[in-house]
Amino acid sequence: MNKIVAILICIFCIQAMSAQTTLSINFLKSTKWMIIKEGVEEGEKDTTVISFDNKKMYTSTHYHFFHPIRKEVVDKTLKIDHAYYLSDVIPSNYDATKVGKATNGKYITFHNVTSKYEDPNGYSTFEITRSSNSEIVLTLCSFTPGEIDQVGRKMILKKKQ
């Protein structure tokens, strides 16, 4: 009997750990976030800060590096705005009419608004796989057909200190 109870508890725990998380617009808007990149060496000066309002995600990426060809330090900030919306299903394509409508969702879809370096019709949908008071983990699950990207790629957002 103890084994059956232990097995049931393990099954429940595994399901709880793999359950999707829901995010709210108010939580996204509550603070500024930093994108944490895997494999970034300590002391790296490139940083990306993100903030949200009801309809847009504002990214500000600061680049600071030595350019090997020009032999000079590059110290610039690139700002890009993305419209976004939350939903409980993975959209088959970007739907601008949903921006700012839902206040919660299991998925977040981003669409380029200002960058000339990104496809103006491009979008990416991420599953909210983990959320705490200080961190959000997003996992790419859908993007513009024909783009080269990697389903399963993670984006980690941490509260800016």
Side-chain angles (χ1 to χ4, degrees), residues 20-23 85-91 102 104-108:
Q20 296 171 326
T21 303
T22 300
L23 271 184
Y85 60 89
L86 296 167
S87 66
D88 286 328
V89 296
I90 300 172
N104 306 287
K106 296 176 184 177
Y107 300 95
I108 186 166

Side-chain angles (χ1 to χ4, degrees), residues 25 52-58 82-85 99-101:
I25 285 179
F52 292 87
D53 65 17
N54 287 340
K55 297 180 179 186
K56 285 187 183 175
M57 174 181 77
Y58 305 93
H82 290 83
Y84 78 95
Y85 60 89
V99 173
K101 298 287 191 303

Side-chain angles (χ1 to χ4, degrees), residues 29-117:
K29 291 179 357 180
S30 68
T31 190
K32 289 189 177 186
W33 302 90
M34 291 189 68
I35 292 182
I36 306 303
K37 299 175 188 169
E38 290 182 43
V40 172
E41 295 176 23
E42 194 167 325
E44 184 72 41
K45 295 181 181 180
D46 297 349
T47 56
T48 300
V49 176
I50 298 173
S51 61
F52 292 87
D53 65 17
N54 287 340
K55 297 180 179 186
K56 285 187 183 175
M57 174 181 77
Y58 305 93
T59 61
S60 177
T61 304
H62 182 85
Y63 296 99
H64 185 95
F65 63 93
F66 183 77
H67 195 286
I69 296 171
R70 289 193 245 153
K71 306 288 186 212
E72 62 184 20
V73 173
V74 174
D75 190 12
K76 301 220 183 246
T77 300
L78 175 65
K79 295 183 182 220
I80 301 174
D81 300 347
H82 290 83
Y84 78 95
Y85 60 89
L86 296 167
S87 66
D88 286 328
V89 296
I90 300 172
S92 57
N93 52 31
Y94 178 74
D95 185 353
T97 64
K98 293 182 179 180
V99 173
K101 298 287 191 303
T103 57
N104 306 287
K106 296 176 184 177
Y107 300 95
I108 186 166
T109 299
F110 300 106
H111 172 65
N112 169 40
V113 176
T114 61
S115 176
K116 62 183 178 183
Y117 304 107

